[in-house]
Amino acid sequence: MASNGGFQNSGYNNDRPPSSTGSGDADVATDPASSSFFMNDYKKHDDLKQMLDTNKDNLKLEAMKRIIGMVAKGKDASDLFPAVVKNVVSKNLEVKKLVYVYLTRYAEEQQDLALLSISTFQRALKDPNQLIRASALRVLSSIRVPVIVPIMMLSIKESCNDMSPYVRKTAAHAIPKLFSLDPELKDQLIEVIEKLLADKTTLVAGSAIQAFEEVCPERIDLIHKNYRKLCNLLVDVEEWGQVVIINMLTRYARTQFVNPNRDDMIEEESEKAFYGSDEDEEKEDKEEEEDDKPKKKPYVMDPDHRLLLRNCKPLLNSRNAAVVMAVAQLYYHCAPRAEVGMVAKSLIRLLRSHKEVQYIVLSNIATMSVKRKGMFEPFLKSFYVHSTDPTHVKLLKLEILTNLGTETSISTIIREFQTYITSTDKEFAAATIQAIGRCASTIPEITDTCLNGLVRLMSNRDETVVAESVVVIKKLLQMQSTDSVSQPQEHKDIIVHMAKMAQDITVPMARASILWMIGEYSDRVPKIAPDVLRQCAKNFINEEDIVKLQILNLAAKLCITNSKQTKLLCQYVFNLAKYDQNYDIRDRARFLRQLIIPGEKAGAFAKYAKKMFLATKPAPVLESKFKDRDQFQLATLSHVLNTKATGYREIPDFPEVAPDPTVRNVEVPTAWVADTNLLAQKKKKKGGKVKPAKKKSFYSDEESEEEDEDEEEEEDSSDETDSSEEDSSEEEEESDEEEDEEDEKPKKKSKKVEDEEDEESSEEVDSSEEEESSEEEDEEEESSDEEPQPKAKSTKAKTGATSNAAMLLDLDFGSTVANPAAVGKSDFLMPVLAQDMSSLSIGGDTGRSTTVTAPSFIPTKTYELLNRITGGGLSITYRFTRTVSIFSEKMASVELTLTNSSDKPVLNVKIGDKKLQSGMEIFDFPEIGNLGVGATVTATMGINFADTTQPATFDVCTQEKKFSVTVKAPVGEQIQPVNMAENEFDKQQGKLSGMNENSGTVDMATENTDIKTISRRVYEVANVVQVPSMQDNTYKFAGKTLSAGALVLISVKLDGRKAALKVNCEKMVIGSMLLKDLKDSMTKKD
């Protein structure tokens, strides 16, 4: 209350108003006896507002820290919103972060003021810092105003293409907020969710599934293609993402796989003995003839079903209790019975956690233990109750111990129960007696022992224990009514003992139970029953309602069986009840009077009174209250509450027949194999010898490289053969093609069968399909000889049969380039090895129709890395060679030129500490031991810029000094050229429209409008290759980013002196910056 400015908790000790920080220090010292305490002009948080209005960042930062501290403590800081929102444009990164945290909390409450900063949030979405971009999107999605729905939608779409996975994760979190604001956007949001589901980043996976669950959980088709990816990523996803994914996959498994525990399916039968007798065979034949029922089908688990269970199993060791519970419920609902037991040990481990966690875990264990006792029977002692346990945990452990009771363990459990009865916790002691009754009802061997023990408890000093014992004894006697003939004396003694205690017991439920037993078994105690009725009639007015009803029943039953002694007493009780305050008792008395003591106008039911009141009653069923809890999915709120909570989705039933499993097959493009097969097909058609395509391992050895070189030489020689061989006879070519197709058909079929049996063979199927597609493309090329086609592969230099070490050592930076016509005289030339590698298809991101090719232009522009003055005589320049890096296909090759201008040698030049953004990598150049005076040395290093514009910062160290340097790559140097047909170019360009497209118009000089000049301008900016185009005055260029392999498509359309530029790339930052560089290049003059 003190935080609200009141003084309820204060005495008269000069309390002061609360501080803005909530720490107890007052903003203004005020005496409560003075009138200023109640003044209206008192300004709350005035000091914080002044700090936020200053120009000093340190004061603003301190103010924001105090404000966020108030918010964290639950104090109201909404009146500071105007002062805080002004600082959203602060240039201090730390202040801006805290401002966004505050705005996220109060944007929904202060919508009008938040709307004034919409433009600021939109600009922040383009901020270089990923945290600022994510925070801006989070604040934008927290403003619950329908007017900005289009802005939110556009922002989410842009953020889904962001290079930072953290921003994409935030975009996934914003999708449910937008959906709740405008459900009509569901179709558009599903498209965004589909793209996020295809994201391979573990940081995004959990958030994407959460958005899927809240927006379109019924669209199970979106999961098919991503199912195996989610299973494989599950171990690396964040903990709360794991919970969401496992719960979703549980429902997915229940709809896509058959029940592994179905009764009509059995495991594979064991093989028959090798030596079988004739008699056995005859018996089997007879059984087969007699048994007309169809045989049970052997159950074979779907490989995808097994993949899910196998990948979830390691998560049982997670430190997060929610993850362990999610895996446990998955196994309980989807795994074979024999495998469910493995979750028991992990659940027992969670019982050492906090009390709140114990309660949830014990609730789920109680449900599991009802149907699967064997799971937790080895851990029986883990459920023993401790004196420090809270009551709700004690009751759950008691429930589990009762469920686990069997003939072998019941003696141990009963001994444990005996100690619980003496507990000071009355509720727990009463529940223990009920548990003893349940054990006695489920295990007949101990029923008599439990009855005797309960009878002895009736002499206990604790009235609660006595009352509960009476109630349980009544239920057990009622259940044993069928065996009462064999044990009349024992039951009689128990009833007599209880009748004597009727006047001493004051608990209403216990008194009612005793009276019911005396009335039900009055034939066994004919002398005692009327006396009990007489004593109850004397005190009828003072009894509780439940006891009065049983007194009426006792009077009616005794009047039927012993009318002479009890008729008058019965009438007396009925007369007392006739004027009772409770209408139930009055109605019961009128009803019984007409049946038991009929008057002159007796009803037709009066003669059936004995059959109605003394009929055999059904025995009560003592069962666990968790028996039907498994109708709800375990580890859910609905399961804990035992009622359907808002938003709960029922777990579906297993299908009778499994749906088509091929919907989960994902075609993996393998461009490398496709190129090899394309080479083989060409050799077939040119009459050359065909070598079988060998399956290359990930790490190729020297022998495989020598074989590749031999094949390349054969290809070159076959290209140089006379054209008469190609034109020899068309009929022979057709017959050869038909034979080839016939030979490939059975291979394709066999591979498809292997794919169904084994997941790993899917790559072979893809390669066979690529062989057919490449064969068809070759046929089309031969049929259209007149059309000019660009060469997909450049002519490769012949280096001879050299080893890997020799090739690496003999790198010659003066060798010839693949396309010398496109390079100027002064341009540097690329290494032979890099040239050979560049013609290969690296990665399969861009599909089969795009292959990496050699660069069309090698720039000579150099950049200064270290000035000779700063470096003490050591100067370093760098340039981008545009060759495929020998260190990694994702790295850009950077050539460093080191010059020693000092008067002494520079020793031990190497790369030191690196300060890189997330995802960036650097491969160091070899250490230079001695750089002599006036010497110049070149070195090559590889840098993976992760498709960002962020610079790579690292230290260049010598023996004496250390220099911090920065390498910044133009966006065009983060691209590698790819060959592409025009139709494929147009197709991909259509896909990369909208936000992925950047366009502009430039005015060009007349001398710059020819094709050579335009190509040179484009090549100077970006490492791309020209795509042959059939359109007039339209020039197209294609490439892809080094790190992610995202396509970069450039088109230039001339209209007189004006050129329309268009850049399509899913990396929006790269696309926009590349367009800017192209405009500058097109407008400059030579």
Side-chain angles (χ1 to χ4, degrees), residues 155-188:
S155 302
I156 290 174
K157 286 184 176 180
E158 290 178 353
S159 300
C160 286
N161 297 317
D162 196 278
M163 289 180 291
S164 169
Y166 180 71
V167 179
R168 299 199 297 273
K169 175 187 179 72
T170 308
H173 290 165
I175 289 175
K177 299 180 184 178
L178 181 56
F179 177 70
S180 63
L181 194 60
D182 189 359
E184 295 180 358
L185 295 175
K186 183 174 181 179
D187 294 337
Q188 298 182 45

Side-chain angles (χ1 to χ4, degrees), residues 743-759:
D743 292 338
E744 288 178 0
K745 285 181 181 178
K747 293 180 182 178
K748 182 180 177 183
K749 291 180 181 179
S750 64
K751 288 176 181 178
K752 285 185 177 180
V753 173
E754 292 174 0
D755 181 65
E756 293 176 358
E757 296 177 354
D758 190 9
E759 299 173 10

Side-chain angles (χ1 to χ4, degrees), residues 76 151 254 306 309 337 368 412 423 561 599 728 790 798 802 808 822 990 1019:
D76 183 20
I151 299 176
R254 295 277 292 203
R306 174 57 61 194
L309 296 177
R337 290 191 185 94
M368 295 181 183
T412 305
S423 172
T561 58
S728 60
K798 300 177 182 179
T802 57
L808 290 174
Y1019 292 152

